[in-house]
Amino acid sequence: MIVLSFTEARRRVEQAAAEVRATAAEPVELLLCGGRVLAQKVAADRDFPPFPRATRDGYAVRAADVVAPPARLKVVAEIRAGGPPLPTSAPSTPLRAGSSGQMWGTREAEFKLRAGEAAEIMTGAPVPAGADAVVMVEYTSRRGQVVEIQRGVAGGENVVPRGAEAKAGEVLLRPGARLTPAAIALAGSCGYHALMAHQRPQVAILSTGDELVDIAAQPGPNQIRNSNSYSLAAQVQAAGGNPVVLPIAPDEPAQLRRLIQEGLAADLLLLSGGVSMGKYDLVEQVLAELGAEFFFTGAEIQPGRPIVFGRAPARPGALPTHFFGLPGNPVSTMVCFELFARALVEALAGAAPGPMRFVQARLKSEVRVKTGLTRFLPAILSGEYERTEVELVRWQGSGDMAATARANCLLVAPPDREKIRAGELVSVLLL
Ligand code: AMP
Ligand code: MG
């Protein structure tokens, strides 16, 4: 038996995750990149923003002209997002040299705002040369060609300077970046319509137990449906893997062995059930016969205490594949996947390691537990944005799927606390 604390077990998993080889890369259309991991660099193809961008609807001005509001300025142009500056008098003709007695060009680059002038401007439009700030339309009143500015602005206000977000050629995303919606938007804005992304790793899922029947079958009086294969498949998918669900393995060594070997041919094997101390818990024994190396065979956590982590070759001489033996109780299976297996799926999918993301919330009502184990208890996070509260769901232990389905997070009760009072801040792992 190798029983580790939660922190030690997690560290062991992270170490293994740092050592695994990620799957190969393939070109993927940007539309299909969600949930994948980047296998190339993404660089800015131009400055971002490509021009000084107005961030408000209003008037582009010289801040120096409005230091003593109210100030009256002559409106000489209208600049909309996507268009060139147009003279306010004749909206359809681009400004030309000579009008208003200054150098006007057909291109916005040649238009220059002079002292005493303002240009009506829309959000997302280029702030013209000569102007250094935008006054929000709310602080102005317009009469014909004249605008009265009621509030001063600081130089640079409501303007993002050209290149302030990124310079042309700058690397914005690196291999290992998760292709989140924001990363996809960034790549799209740089003109990438396909990206080299890692293939989804194949993650074999093997549920074990004589009591299990397929969800399509009618369970007998002593049988239950195999739900773990389905929760795990959904979790694998969400973590960036491709679930491969194997047939249910009975608690019988020969068939179990054959299915485990089949599972070890994948990039990762997740077993559910058969790792406790029962007479028919055969998973560890079969894995040992296959030459497994065990990193731990238990963790001081609840739910999920009997969790097993190691690696074993599919056949003698083959490279070893990592496996997790997850306790069969549905909540334990689910929680252990989040705490441990997810990190390995992500690493195989090519993702750079990231920390587990805990948030802090105020406990709504007192929690009492026995010391010694780190507990990850199904809970509900609620409350206003500035006062997040969390409370345990009432549950019947780690087999209670109905309670877990009502939860949206796991409340972490540290191993040394017998009682956590209402109002205390506790750590929460979002689900
Ligand atoms: P075990 O870890 O094999 O001792 O199983 C612990 C509990 O989880 C038992 O009540 C099993 O019936 C239940 N269980 C095991 N595997 C599954 C599964 N695939 N789907 C739903 N429940 C399961
Ligand atoms: Mg079992």
Side-chain angles (χ1 to χ4, degrees):
M1 289 284 280
I2 312 166
V3 180
L4 304 182
S5 69
F6 168 66
T7 315
E8 292 164 340
R10 173 71 196 181
R11 207 172 294 138
R12 191 64 196 82
V13 170
E14 284 172 3
Q15 189 187 330
E19 288 164 5
V20 295
R21 214 176 62 202
T23 55
E26 60 185 358
V28 181
E29 259 183 73
L30 195 60
L31 262 182
L32 302 176
C33 276
R36 296 278 205 123
V37 176
L38 190 63
Q40 65 167 88
K41 285 181 186 167
V42 164
D45 64 328
R46 63 206 294 226
D47 285 347
F48 282 84
F51 47 77
R53 183 176 63 215
T55 61
R56 294 282 190 275
D57 296 317
Y59 289 86
V61 300
R62 293 166 175 254
D65 281 352
V66 297
V67 280
R72 308 184 77 204
L73 302 175
K74 184 177 177 205
V75 183
V76 294
E78 178 191 295
I79 312 170
R80 51 162 85 188
L86 299 172
T88 39
S89 44
S92 56
T93 36
L95 293 166
R96 305 210 164 271
S99 65
S100 192
Q102 55 180 334
M103 281 301 293
W104 295 106
T106 48
R107 299 204 330 263
E108 51 269 55
E110 293 167 44
F111 169 63
K112 189 163 186 223
L113 199 80
R114 299 192 315 179
E117 294 179 344
E120 191 177 4
I121 195 163
M122 316 301 151
T123 300
V127 174
D132 62 356
V134 171
V135 180
M136 287 167 70
V137 68
E138 289 87 335
Y139 306 138
T140 66
S141 68
R142 173 86 174 261
R143 200 171 274 182
Q145 296 284 87
V146 173
V147 63
E148 191 180 272
I149 307 291
Q150 286 135 6
R151 279 203 202 178
V153 273
E157 209 171 312
N158 301 324
V159 181
V160 182
R162 173 175 176 161
E165 293 161 358
K167 296 266 186 278
E170 197 176 323
V171 175
L172 300 177
L173 297 171
R174 294 178 190 282
R178 290 166 172 80
L179 288 167
T180 59
I184 288 172
L186 187 58
S189 70
C190 294
Y192 293 81
H193 44 84
L195 291 170
M196 289 303 288
H198 286 278
Q199 288 167 3
R200 288 177 175 271
Q202 303 290 329
V203 181
I205 296 172
L206 179 56
S207 281
T208 73
D210 282 340
E211 75 278 32
L212 302 178
V213 297
D214 196 79
I215 54 165
Q218 187 58 42
N222 303 319
Q223 294 179 317
I224 58 165
R225 296 192 180 93
N226 166 25
S227 57
N228 286 351
S229 290
Y230 292 84
S231 56
L232 285 173
Q235 288 176 297
V236 164
Q237 183 101 37
N242 190 29
V244 181
V245 176
L246 299 176
I248 296 164
D251 295 318
E252 186 277 312
Q255 292 185 66
L256 185 58
R257 183 188 172 104
R258 187 178 58 74
L259 284 164
I260 286 180
Q261 281 182 301
E262 195 177 327
L264 288 171
D267 296 311
L268 175 67
L269 168 61
L270 303 179
L271 290 130
S272 132
V275 289
S276 307
M277 300 302 288
K279 195 167 158 190
Y280 300 104
D281 289 328
L282 305 171
V283 166
E284 263 181 80
Q285 178 197 315
V286 170
L287 283 163
E289 286 165 15
L290 289 171
E293 175 186 2
F294 292 97
F295 301 133
F296 55 84
T297 56
E300 286 156 355
I301 58 169
Q302 193 244 343
R305 197 166 195 203
I307 180 162
V308 174
F309 177 44
R311 59 182 175 187
R315 16 181 192 82
L319 279 176
T321 303
H322 286 92
F323 60 79
F324 285 93
L326 307 167
N329 261 320
V331 185
S332 312
T333 311
M334 232 176 286
V335 169
C336 285
F337 180 91
E338 289 304 320
L339 298 181
F340 303 113
R342 170 181 276 274
L344 226 71
V345 177
E346 290 179 348
L348 287 163
M356 294 184 84
R357 286 179 294 184
F358 293 99
V359 298
Q360 299 271 300
R362 220 162 277 286
L363 190 62
K364 220 165 161 181
S365 40
E366 184 178 286
V367 170
R368 280 170 183 272
V369 284
K370 288 205 192 86
T371 56
L373 300 176
T374 308
R375 290 169 206 265
F376 298 89
L377 305 171
I380 296 175
L381 195 68
S382 63
E384 299 296 315
Y385 65 94
E386 56 181 7
R387 209 193 140 74
T388 311
E389 292 180 315
V390 65
E391 87 184 306
L392 294 180
V393 293
R394 248 188 254 252
W395 71 328
Q396 303 297 323
S398 40
D400 192 343
M401 269 176 280
T404 309
R406 287 196 297 276
N408 58 14
C409 66
L410 300 171
L411 185 158
V412 187
D416 55 346
R417 296 289 305 277
E418 211 159 40
K419 185 163 95 176
I420 312 174
R421 285 183 202 83
E424 281 193 58
L425 279 178
V426 289
S427 281
V428 162
L429 185 65
L430 299 178
L431 289 178

